[in-house]
Amino acid sequence: MKWDLKGRAALVTGAGGGIGLAVALRLAGLGMDLVLCGRDLHKLERACAQAEKSGVRAVASAGDLTQAQAREACVELAEKSFGRLDVLVNNAGVAQSQPFDQVSEEDFDRILAINLKAPYFLTQRALGLLRRSEGASVLNIGSVVSHKGYPLQSAYAASKHGVLGFSKSLANELYQQGIRVHVICPGGVYTDMVKVARPDLSPEGLILPEDIADIAEFLLTHRSNAVVDEIQVHRCGKAPFA
């Protein structure tokens, strides 16, 4: 059964650009009201204006999601603005490209806080609202390094392995409550972050943010007896099943 998202509400992190923006605009096109979260208020307001062209409501919540008050503000804004939350998209993240023996404790803490701590505790804070939905979903954006370990990405890989592990446990806790947890693990996507994580990659042949939005739409609108827990995505120039 294709799940109708019109009139429902979603919270998307890292929504000022890249995958987050592409997913947010796709959800707006499907009729969802939006809370868009990130650090840059100007980018978020611009994203809201783009989303509202689809006839939905969109509000911005700017802040550092590693901090409890910013996570609280996002969820409170969803409840105040829409009275509901049906979809949570944990997308915000940062990359790292550095030899293992040069990664400082401060760098490690920052990467783990943004990529793992923030989605973990944002989901925890949003759970009360999600439980009130008749068909809630949590969509976590992992990475190819949720499974692999590339050179110069030790802290990033640790954080994204953590996202996948957290997602697996959360899915098993929530599925009997009707809340589905999905993970998308893409390879190189043409965003600013991939320029940091993989400066060796050419932009040609990279996955586009809109490709990830296609997959997000499929996962969130196909709410049948068949459940897809995780989708791994590689760029077309990379060998299949590598």
Side-chain angles (χ1 to χ4, degrees):
M1 170 178 78
K2 191 161 186 180
W3 196 246
D4 186 4
L5 297 177
K6 188 174 183 180
R8 302 177 191 271
L11 191 160
V12 183
T13 71
I19 293 173
L21 176 60
V23 170
L25 295 181
R26 183 63 58 87
L27 297 182
L30 294 168
M32 297 198 80
D33 296 321
L34 299 171
V35 177
L36 303 185
C37 303
R39 292 175 179 267
D40 190 319
L41 181 59
H42 176 69
K43 287 183 178 180
L44 293 176
E45 289 177 338
R46 187 169 57 194
C48 285
Q50 289 179 265
E52 288 179 336
K53 292 178 182 178
S54 294
V56 301
R57 297 170 291 170
V59 291
S61 183
D64 178 359
L65 290 174
T66 67
Q67 302 301 310
Q69 61 266 32
R71 299 191 296 270
E72 184 77 19
C74 286
V75 178
E76 285 186 350
L77 187 58
E79 186 162 24
K80 178 182 176 181
S81 301
F82 311 127
R84 63 186 300 156
L85 184 63
D86 304 277
V87 171
L88 171 61
V89 181
N90 287 309
N91 162 75
V94 293
Q96 161 256 15
S97 180
Q98 199 170 21
F100 169 74
D101 57 1
Q102 294 179 22
V103 177
S104 68
E105 189 168 346
E106 291 76 14
D107 287 338
F108 182 87
D109 287 345
R110 177 180 63 88
I111 292 165
L112 269 290
I114 294 170
N115 293 359
L116 182 55
K117 176 185 175 180
Y120 187 101
F121 286 104
L122 178 60
T123 304
Q124 187 182 83
R125 176 59 185 85
L127 197 52
L129 271 182
L130 292 169
R131 282 180 170 138
R132 284 158 46 183
S133 171
E134 68 274 24
S137 296
V138 177
L139 176 57
N140 291 332
I141 305 300
S143 167
V144 63
V145 297
S146 293
H147 296 272
K148 299 180 183 295
Y150 293 138
L152 309 181
Q153 294 188 40
S154 57
Y156 181 58
S159 71
K160 289 299 186 178
H161 272 67
V163 168
L164 182 57
F166 149 59
S167 302
K168 290 178 179 180
S169 289
L170 184 67
N172 276 283
E173 285 194 34
L174 298 183
Y175 82 97
Q176 290 184 326
Q177 301 174 40
I179 301 174
R180 297 189 176 184
V181 178
H182 308 286
V183 188
I184 302 175
C185 289
V189 182
Y190 188 52
T191 64
D192 289 338
M193 193 172 73
V194 82
K195 297 173 186 176
V196 175
R198 292 294 303 276
D200 56 304
L201 292 180
S202 167
E204 296 179 9
L206 291 181
I207 300 163
L208 297 178
E210 291 73 18
D211 296 326
I212 305 304
D214 288 342
I215 297 168
E217 177 180 348
F218 174 83
L219 290 172
L220 297 174
T221 60
H222 287 74
R223 196 176 178 90
S224 65
N225 290 338
V227 183
V228 179
D229 296 323
E230 178 191 4
I231 293 182
Q232 297 184 45
V233 190
H234 68 83
R235 50 197 164 87
C236 61
K238 192 170 181 64
F241 300 101

